[in-house]
Amino acid sequence: MLIERPWMRWPASLLVFAGATWLNLHLQPQLGDRAPLLPYFPALVIVGLSCGFGPAFALLCASCLAILYFWIPPVGTLFPVESVSNVALIALFFCAGLLIAAVAATAGSLVQKDRRSRQRLRLALAAGRMVTWDWDIEQRHPSTTGDATAIFGRRIRSMEDILQALSADDAATFRQRYAYALDSGGRFSQIAAIVRPDDGQTVWTQIDGYVATDSKGRAAHAYGVLVDVTPQQEALRASQAAEERFQLALESAKVMAWECDEQARYTWAVNVPMGISREQVIGAEVGSVAGQPTFAAAVLDAVRSGQPVTLDQRASHGGRDYQLLTSIRPIQDADGQVRRLLGATVDVTELAAVQQQLLLESQRKDTFLATLAHELRNPMAPIRYAVSVLQHTADEGARHRAVEIIGRQSAHMARLLDDLLDMSRITRNDVALQRQVIDLRTVVKQALEAVEPVYVEKRHRISLSMPPRPVPVEGDPTRLQQVLGNLLDNAAKYSPVPGEVLVHLAVDAGHAKVTVTDRGIGIAKDLLSRVFELFTRLDSSSAAPVGLGIGLAVSRQLIQLHGGTVSVESEGRDRGSRFIVCLPLAEGGVGALPGASTGPASGQDDHEDGSAGNTCVLIVDDNEDGANTLAEVLREARFRTAVAYTGEDALTAFERLHPRVVLLDIGLPDLSGNEVARRLRGRARDELVLVAVTGWGQEADRAATAAAGFDAHVVKPVDATEIEQLIRRLLREPASSAALGTG
Ligand code: ADP
């Protein structure tokens, strides 16, 4: 190979020449001067390879002269050469030497180039942290280039070394991809983690390979490269993590990040609000998608001025309105021109609504405090007046009136304070209900009794209608009475004098419904939703009835604690109002009421509820199922029922319950139905209705029952509706209702 420093090549070739001549001078006497050219050929090769063509050519010339001088007769002179054959020999030597010098010099330069390119390759591989691998598939001959030990902490010489360096999963993937490339030819690629055995560090490695095929299309040669891509992978992972954090931050803060060009057209956007997709905004002019007419102008202003801008805008999309807060920052190029703008838009719709709500709450609280002061001051004046009367008057009548005033006004103040306490307990979620199964009718009646003085005073008329049967609900009777009392109070307060209030209690689809209807000042439709809010007084003028705007809010909370609802209906101002309280019926129905009979006792099923006008029907049948089902059906039709399965039991039950109607089977196990009927007729008042319910329907049977005193004869099987209608016909009973007049 070529000597690196060119100036050293000449002395080197001179040395080689001297050496070859010295060797020749010692060698030729042994050889009889027959091979004077011999040592110069290797010398030419050596100098050609290591010193290049110039020194080799010089060596050739010098060799020719040395041969002429030392070995070609006449020895000791260069000229003349006596024999033609010697001239030919020298000429041939020169030509051959020239060829050898040229070839050796070319080979030397090639070797030099190759060495340099190998050096460059090694440098490139080290800089790129790569190892190349080469696999002659037929010869199974592997080779690698590059410092695998430095990069991967292990020697990588063969395909097995690569596979061993990978985890089991990655090795399986590699095998699979390599096998596929072997079958089909072409490239394969994979990123895998290699753990360095020396320090346990993970080296992320990109394995790229290529399988070349021979002329017959068979895989002949695989080669590729292992590249340490750890920095890129780490950067990628870090950027993915940063992206995720960024996205999370944007999403939780409801921020849209965007970029637009100097013509105010979106070029990039993430986390677009209002249900708009990224595709919809990219390329669109800012503000064009969600109806923000001033947006584009503001961006163009920022382009001109180069100054950041903040915008508080309304937007609408998909039929909804939004409040958006936008910050825009123009980005200047090196030449000072704004070509792109960064923006962040925050959806503050909820925040704005909450702010508005807070403002309203605060205003309402202020109004409430003013009202409270007023309401508390109101009773104070008469009390102080009464106190001064007590201090200064000896007149018994005046003193008595003063005491009454103090009593009345302090009771009023106590009510206000109770309301306030309730409100604070409810807002703190600190209300404990004393729940029990109660008959809601009783609560309604008690609430009516409590407000009766007010109604009497104001000459309001109040009507009550409710079912004849108990309405069991699970609740706190005091709290429920408080709610109904509040509704009745309001109805009285907000009705002109004399007014009319209707209270209706009904059972509907597993719920008890109490409706309080007045014909008073009514409520404008747009204000209906507000009446249950705290501190709401729809009319806050001084002429309005006293009130703190707490009662309905407290009522709603109490009813909700009972699992029920309270709602309001009104046709508008001066069209009256209707408040509806809906409570779930107690599980277990009437049977759950304290003191209620839960099943047949000694052959009797007693369902008395004690309400006036409620008809009691005694069903007598030895078929227990038949008797019980008929009783059930009649109970549904709002009759009180009792059941007896023998004639004797029927007589006992009759004594105890005095039913208006007896449905009597004829074939009973002890006494016959006709006999029982005769005895009942003997004991009962005239209005007793006796119906024979029997399987016998012959004329003779009918005649026998008629003779025994039955009012009707029904042949089994009995249709429930028919028998109900028959009873009603026989009783001529109107629908249940009651009315209480206090006016
Ligand atoms: P208040 O103590 O002011 O009556 P409520 O919470 O009971 O407080 O009622 C809130 C507001 O609802 C009342 O100020 C009144 O404007 C309206 N309101 C309540 N009941 C009626 C009703 N029966 N008719 C008309 N307006 C009513």
Side-chain angles (χ1 to χ4, degrees):
M1 68 214 71
L2 273 172
I3 294 170
E4 289 294 333
R5 295 184 186 154
W7 64 267
M8 282 185 69
R9 292 175 192 164
W10 294 99
S13 62
L14 189 63
L15 262 177
V16 173
F17 168 71
T21 306
W22 179 84
L23 187 68
N24 222 1
L25 286 171
H26 287 82
L27 206 60
Q28 289 311 316
Q30 294 357 286
L31 297 174
D33 289 340
R34 278 197 300 268
L37 310 179
L38 204 60
Y40 292 107
F41 285 116
L44 273 172
V45 172
I46 291 168
V47 172
L49 280 173
S50 60
C51 302
F53 183 74
F57 182 72
L59 174 79
L60 177 62
C61 295
S63 305
C64 286
L65 293 175
I67 291 166
L68 281 172
Y69 186 79
F70 290 113
W71 291 284
I72 301 293
V75 172
T77 57
L78 294 176
F79 294 104
V81 179
E82 288 169 355
S83 116
V84 176
S85 64
N86 281 341
V87 172
L89 182 73
I90 286 295
L92 269 175
F93 172 71
F94 186 79
C95 291
L98 199 63
L99 192 66
I100 290 170
V103 169
T106 310
S109 123
L110 284 176
V111 168
Q112 175 78 351
K113 274 189 187 150
D114 181 55
R115 203 180 66 183
R116 287 220 174 117
S117 72
R118 276 176 184 283
Q119 278 171 345
R120 278 199 298 273
L121 176 66
R122 263 196 291 278
L123 194 67
L125 290 176
R129 296 185 65 75
M130 291 182 210
V131 171
T132 63
W133 55 273
D134 217 299
W135 178 239
D136 186 331
I137 293 166
E138 212 153 277
Q139 308 288 319
R140 305 188 68 74
H141 174 72
S143 73
T144 53
T145 317
D147 193 351
T149 319
I151 301 170
F152 304 109
R154 59 174 80 221
R155 278 168 29 158
I156 292 183
R157 294 242 170 103
S158 64
M159 196 68 95
E160 275 63 41
D161 289 342
I162 296 177
L163 288 169
Q164 269 171 19
L166 303 179
S167 69
D169 283 354
D170 283 339
T173 311
F174 181 84
R175 277 201 190 89
Q176 192 189 1
R177 292 187 185 175
Y178 179 57
Y180 183 76
L182 281 183
D183 280 349
S184 54
R187 276 195 67 173
F188 62 94
S189 183
Q190 177 182 357
I191 290 185
I194 292 180
V195 178
R196 288 178 65 112
D198 48 358
D199 58 8
Q201 296 277 330
T202 298
V203 183
W204 287 98
T205 310
Q206 175 155 352
I207 309 169
D208 279 314
Y210 187 81
V211 176
T213 48
D214 60 15
S215 56
K216 292 183 182 144
R218 285 177 309 207
H221 184 205
Y223 55 92
V225 62
L226 304 175
V227 190
D228 173 7
V229 289
T230 309
Q232 293 92 316
Q233 282 294 307
E234 278 171 359
L236 187 70
R237 266 150 226 267
S239 102
Q240 277 170 352
E243 176 87 0
E244 278 165 16
R245 286 195 286 268
F246 177 59
Q247 190 70 28
L248 180 71
L250 292 182
E251 275 168 22
S252 29
K254 294 196 169 178
V255 178
M256 166 192 177
W258 53 268
E259 210 176 303
C260 72
D261 60 19
E262 75 271 32
Q263 270 138 28
R265 297 193 178 278
Y266 285 112
T267 52
W268 172 81
V270 283
N271 203 32
V272 187
M274 302 179 277
I276 300 171
S277 70
R278 281 185 77 198
E279 290 68 33
Q280 275 175 284
V281 293
I282 303 294
E285 186 178 80
V286 298
S288 63
V289 185
Q292 298 149 280
T294 55
F295 199 174
V299 169
L300 295 177
D301 274 353
V303 172
R304 273 190 291 277
S305 68
Q307 294 301 313
V309 181
T310 304
L311 299 171
D312 190 357
Q313 295 177 297
R314 290 201 146 274
S316 61
H317 190 263
R320 278 190 62 192
D321 288 336
Y322 296 84
Q323 191 68 34
L324 304 177
L325 203 62
T326 300
S327 300
I328 307 167
R329 188 195 294 169
I331 307 292
Q332 290 174 342
D333 277 355
D335 59 1
Q337 290 294 307
V338 173
R339 300 236 153 66
R340 63 194 191 102
L341 300 97
L342 292 181
T345 299
V346 193
D347 180 355
V348 291
T349 314
E350 278 173 24
L351 207 64
V354 170
Q355 262 176 354
Q356 184 63 22
Q357 185 67 22
L358 278 176
L359 201 71
L360 281 176
E361 296 282 337
S362 157
Q363 281 169 356
R364 285 229 299 268
K365 203 163 241 169
D366 288 348
T367 318
F368 166 73
L369 287 175
T371 316
L372 181 63
H374 175 253
E375 293 295 327
L376 288 175
R377 213 178 290 126
N378 262 353
M380 287 307 289
I383 288 175
R384 283 165 72 177
Y385 160 74
V387 168
S388 91
V389 168
L390 285 175
Q391 280 169 339
H392 302 111
T393 302
D395 176 41
E396 264 317 301
R399 290 178 73 87
H400 181 71
R401 276 196 301 281
V403 170
E404 273 187 343
I405 287 171
I406 293 173
R408 227 179 9 253
Q409 298 300 330
S410 57
H412 178 59
M413 281 179 79
R415 266 202 311 279
L416 286 176
L417 293 172
D418 280 350
D419 271 0
L420 280 173
L421 277 177
D422 272 349
M423 179 202 77
S424 96
R425 273 200 212 105
I426 280 172
T427 44
R428 279 183 292 122
N429 227 350
D430 187 25
V431 179
L433 295 181
Q434 307 292 320
R435 292 177 93 132
Q436 63 193 74
V437 178
I438 43 168
D439 183 356
L440 194 57
R441 300 178 312 166
T442 316
V443 177
V444 173
K445 280 185 209 154
Q446 284 165 352
L448 284 169
E449 277 163 22
V451 296
E452 198 176 341
V454 177
Y455 277 69
V456 171
E457 187 192 322
K458 296 200 167 177
R459 290 178 291 117
H460 288 320
R461 194 182 129 70
I462 184 162
S463 312
L464 167 71
S465 66
M466 54 187 185
R469 283 169 46 76
V471 181
V473 294
E474 199 189 337
D476 182 332
T478 317
R479 292 308 198 167
L480 291 177
Q481 195 187 323
Q482 177 185 349
V483 171
L484 295 177
N486 180 249
L487 297 182
L488 291 166
D489 244 356
N490 281 348
K493 252 194 324 192
Y494 300 106
S495 292
V497 174
E500 192 177 1
V501 176
L502 308 163
V503 181
H504 178 67
L505 169 61
V507 173
D508 182 22
H511 284 80
K513 242 187 198 177
V514 188
T515 315
V516 178
T517 312
D518 64 58
R519 305 194 200 290
I521 62 168
I523 300 168
K525 289 209 163 170
D526 54 329
L527 299 178
L528 281 174
S529 60
R530 284 190 44 207
V531 293
F532 293 105
E533 288 171 12
L534 206 53
F535 310 141
T536 295
R537 294 179 71 221
L538 300 182
D539 180 0
S540 50
S541 67
S542 57
V546 292
L548 293 175
I550 293 177
L552 286 180
V554 170
S555 298
R556 181 170 66 173
Q557 297 285 347
L558 287 175
I559 292 298
Q560 281 174 353
L561 284 175
H562 280 84
T565 56
V566 54
S567 53
V568 60
E569 294 170 1
S570 174
E571 293 299 313
R573 290 294 298 175
D574 299 324
R575 310 278 299 270
S577 317
R578 176 179 297 120
F579 285 84
I580 304 140
V581 174
C582 197
L583 290 164
L585 285 180
E587 274 178 27
V590 179
L593 277 170
S597 166
T598 50
S602 59
Q604 294 174 11
D605 182 6
D606 187 353
H607 290 271
E608 291 188 71
D609 62 13
S611 60
N614 200 5
T615 308
C616 180
V617 180
L618 175 65
I619 299 137
V620 188
D621 197 330
D622 59 342
N623 180 334
E624 293 186 17
D625 284 342
N628 290 336
T629 351
L630 185 54
E632 192 62 46
V633 169
L634 291 176
R635 274 204 294 278
E636 287 299 323
R638 309 219 173 142
F639 290 99
R640 286 164 56 212
T641 60
V643 178
Y645 306 128
T646 63
E648 286 298 346
D649 279 345
L651 294 171
T652 317
F654 186 83
E655 283 307 319
R656 200 163 62 84
L657 300 171
H658 303 293
R660 280 278 329 263
V661 181
V662 179
L663 304 180
L664 199 51
D665 186 13
I666 302 300
L668 292 169
D670 48 1
L671 304 170
S672 89
N674 286 334
E675 177 56 24
V676 175
R678 266 190 291 277
R679 292 196 197 176
L680 291 179
R681 275 276 172 245
R683 297 178 195 179
R685 297 158 297 179
D686 282 343
E687 68 261 14
L688 173 66
V689 172
L690 270 177
V691 180
V693 183
T694 169
W696 308 103
Q698 304 288 324
E699 258 328 301
D701 302 317
R702 289 177 187 276
T705 53
F710 281 99
D711 298 303
H713 183 115
V714 181
V715 180
K716 288 180 185 173
V718 190
D719 178 82
T721 328
E722 262 174 38
I723 200 134
E724 186 200 331
Q725 281 169 356
L726 172 72
I727 294 170
R728 290 202 191 283
R729 205 168 56 244
L730 293 169
L731 289 169
R732 289 203 178 77
E733 184 195 75
S736 305
S737 78
L740 170 72
T742 55

